[in-house]
Amino acid sequence: MKLPFGMGEFRRPEVHIPGQEDVAGVVNTVRENLPSPLQLAYYGGLGALAALSVIEWPVAAAIGIGAVLAQRAGSSGSSQARFEAPSDRTSE
């Protein structure tokens, strides 16, 4: 197409359609990072309490974040070593 101020060019954009491997990888990643059904019920109940104004949303957020941090600290072995008493060592 010729325009008075130059040439115009239109191109069809290249679109990447994900394959089965891409979709399967995403689904597996999401499944690995989802909380358990019990945790989902807990967070859902916490959200419902905040939505119904039984508790304020900042309080619900603080409780939820505290629960996540406590769960992560309890599941990692390295953080447990921090809270154990130091072993008895004899100095030379």
Side-chain angles (χ1 to χ4, degrees):
M1 166 186 300
K2 288 191 176 196
L3 300 173
F5 50 84
M7 295 289 293
E9 187 174 325
F10 298 100
R11 295 186 201 167
R12 190 178 78 164
E14 295 181 23
V15 178
H16 171 71
I17 299 174
Q20 184 175 0
E21 297 86 19
D22 297 330
V23 174
V26 169
V27 168
N28 288 336
T29 302
V30 169
R31 282 185 183 158
E32 290 171 359
N33 292 313
L34 279 178
S36 70
L38 184 62
Q39 290 171 330
L40 282 175
Y42 176 78
Y43 298 133
L46 199 56
L49 289 174
L52 296 172
S53 297
V54 175
I55 59 176
E56 296 293 324
W57 71 264
V59 175
I63 293 170
I65 291 169
V68 168
L69 292 176
Q71 189 259 338
R72 286 187 182 179
S75 66
S76 68
S78 62
S79 64
Q80 185 65 23
R82 232 182 334 168
F83 298 109
E84 292 177 359
S87 61
D88 292 333
R89 296 183 194 166
T90 56
S91 58
E92 295 176 18

